[in-house]
Amino acid sequence: KLQFLYFIGGEKMWRVRVARGTRWCVARQSRECVEVFREQLRKPDHITVSRRKAKQIYMLSEQQLETIPPIEIPNPYGNAANDNYYELYWLKDVVRLAKTNKTEEELVDIYQAHRKGRSDDAKRKIYGMSGIDRWYNNPSSETPEGKKSILQGLRSNLVIFGGKLIVSKVTGSFALFADSMHSLADVSNYLYRYYSISHSMREGDRDHPYGYAPLRHICADRSFVGLLIVGGVVPVAVGLYELSQFFEHVSHPPVDPTMAALSMGILMLSFGMEWLAMRTAAQEMAERQKAKKSQDIMSSATHLEAKAGVYGVLVGMCGVTCTLLTGSPVIEVGCATLMGGIVSGVAIKLLAVSGRSLLGATLPVERVTTVIDKLQLDEVVVEVYDVKTQVLGTDTVRFKAELHFNAEAITKRWRDLHKIPSVAATTLHNEIESLTTETKTEDWLMKNNAEFLMAFAVETSRLRDIVRNELKEYRKVHVDLNIW
């Protein structure tokens, strides 16, 4: 029907009809919610309500709530000493006290007024709009991974980039030109990546609940394209052109030993600075490996680029030396072309790595196996299935699994029935014997099932903590455990 309206009346009529239909659906849903609320006031189910809801909707005071025994369940959102548990109350107890203050119609009116402003209440349930601090969006006290090596690589290339470019123009050294193109690509890439690191450490918000960590991989992927073109393709193209000129017997000026020595000095300085950047990146990678973390794209990229620079400089020095000894520039041109080829190969490899990271890299198999074994050793878990992990940035990981739960083990832990006979077993037996009518039996069964669901939630929260403790090297571990 909506497609037909769009066809005969255009987009304006279609939008008007959709808006009216939406308002009608909201009104109908509101009426249904009020009827459900009224039914719960007359015959409350065995469900629980939060302390905030008991005060806002049922108008209970702090003194009245103190007369009801609370049910404490672990709070999965807080990490403060006073925020470890949620306090819940049985709806039957809350309704019983509420009716001592208000009539049924007054409570319905309060509920309807609350429903009118429910947009704010609904927003509280959306991540990033509640304004509440959670354990997983606390600011990190650590230096962002890869920042140290990027700064070292930036300093190393800034120190010698200008000298390389000037000396390559003065001496006409092809090897130095190829190395200066590599440095140009590195300087621009390091500046871009340093900018991306600061933005990738921003905490999650409404639009990006899991944070901005993938921005590292996006910016790294773009920078590798620049490295391939500027540091690889340009030197290779210039080198091939010069080689074609040589084979066409185009004359070249004789090699000046002074200029060759100046080129060698700049290349040796470049070798030292690239080696320093490579060592800094290697130290960062070793620290992550020691912490059993997956490697960060920033540190890995800096290490490979600096390593390519070290090998490229060695090739260039060989070219300059052979050209000085033989007097033929073709050797240096060939080495310069090879330098560009090395950078191109590294850029292509990094593009492949960043592509896999953008698709969503997983945790190492050994780490996932350890977590699975830990879960399966727990008494409430029969088996673990369909485990999926995803590493987001450097300090965030998602862990999803389907668990086959042992209902009997959960019941024993909840009812404390590990030993029979026991006080808990005697109490349960007496409860069952007191069920002399069908009404009492139904009431006991409903409450028992409601309590079991809460016990199940407590056990699920405990299993989430086990996963987080096993992956404690990551600051944010988002765990999704589903029922198999």
Side-chain angles (χ1 to χ4, degrees), residues 26-162:
V26 170
R28 179 180 178 182
Q29 184 183 27
S30 179
R31 289 195 298 270
E32 290 177 351
C33 290
V34 170
E35 291 303 317
V36 171
F37 180 77
R38 191 186 299 274
E39 183 65 24
Q40 290 295 332
L41 289 177
R42 295 170 180 172
K43 188 179 179 182
D45 289 337
H46 286 288
I47 57 177
T48 56
V49 296
S50 65
R51 190 180 191 89
R52 181 175 63 88
K53 192 173 182 179
K55 294 169 67 175
Q56 290 183 353
I57 297 179
Y58 297 93
M59 306 303 292
L60 296 186
S61 63
E62 289 286 347
Q63 292 76 13
Q64 288 178 309
L65 286 175
E66 289 178 358
T67 63
I68 307 175
I71 303 168
E72 293 185 343
I73 64 171
N75 182 1
Y77 306 113
N79 61 351
N82 60 348
D83 198 23
N84 285 333
Y85 292 94
Y86 269 144
E87 285 190 349
L88 301 176
Y89 301 89
W90 288 114
L91 180 61
K92 285 191 173 184
D93 295 335
V94 172
V95 170
R96 175 176 52 81
L97 285 179
K99 286 184 175 181
T100 61
N101 301 329
K102 305 286 184 181
T103 64
E104 180 179 311
E105 291 303 321
E106 288 176 335
L107 291 173
V108 171
D109 292 339
I110 294 172
Y111 177 73
Q112 288 179 321
H114 178 77
R115 287 277 303 174
K116 290 181 180 179
R118 75 181 185 89
S119 58
D120 293 336
D121 185 64
K123 289 179 180 179
R124 289 175 55 88
K125 304 179 188 301
I126 302 175
Y127 179 87
M129 299 192 67
S130 64
I132 302 175
D133 291 332
R134 303 299 192 189
W135 62 267
Y136 41 74
N137 58 15
N138 291 330
S140 174
S141 60
E142 301 177 358
T143 302
E145 284 84 346
K147 186 176 181 179
K148 187 186 298 183
S149 60
I150 286 178
L151 286 175
Q152 182 57 54
L154 182 60
R155 284 193 291 263
S156 297
N157 283 277
L158 280 175
V159 166
I160 56 177
F161 168 63

Side-chain angles (χ1 to χ4, degrees), residues 322-384:
C322 293
T323 296
L324 180 63
L325 294 176
T326 61
S328 175
V330 68
I331 301 177
E332 183 181 353
V333 175
C335 289
T337 306
L338 179 59
M339 292 169 67
I342 293 174
V343 175
S344 298
V346 168
I348 292 172
K349 180 178 180 180
L350 288 173
L351 281 170
V353 172
S354 64
R356 290 194 297 269
S357 299
L358 286 172
L359 288 174
T362 63
L363 284 171
V365 177
E366 296 78 10
R367 300 292 294 118
V368 180
T369 304
T370 302
V371 177
I372 292 174
D373 292 341
K374 191 73 174 179
L375 287 173
Q376 291 187 153
L377 287 175
D378 196 272
E379 61 179 322
V380 303
V381 177
V382 178
E383 197 64 67
V384 180

Side-chain angles (χ1 to χ4, degrees), residues 147-189:
K147 186 176 181 179
K148 187 186 298 183
S149 60
I150 286 178
L151 286 175
Q152 182 57 54
L154 182 60
R155 284 193 291 263
S156 297
N157 283 277
L158 280 175
V159 166
I160 56 177
F161 168 63
K164 287 180 185 179
L165 199 59
I166 294 173
V167 174
S168 68
K169 292 294 183 181
V170 173
T171 62
S173 171
F174 297 107
L176 208 53
F177 170 76
D179 199 32
S180 64
M181 289 296 99
H182 185 191
S183 292
L184 175 61
D186 282 348
V187 169
S188 58
N189 287 344

Side-chain angles (χ1 to χ4, degrees), residues 379-383 403-415 417 448 452-453 455-456 459 483:
E379 61 179 322
V380 303
V381 177
V382 178
E383 197 64 67
L403 303 184
H404 182 188
F405 286 94
N406 186 337
E408 184 173 340
I410 296 176
T411 304
K412 286 182 177 180
R413 288 176 58 86
W414 158 48
R415 287 285 190 174
L417 297 175
N448 179 78
F452 179 82
L453 285 177
F456 177 77
E459 295 300 326
I483 302 175

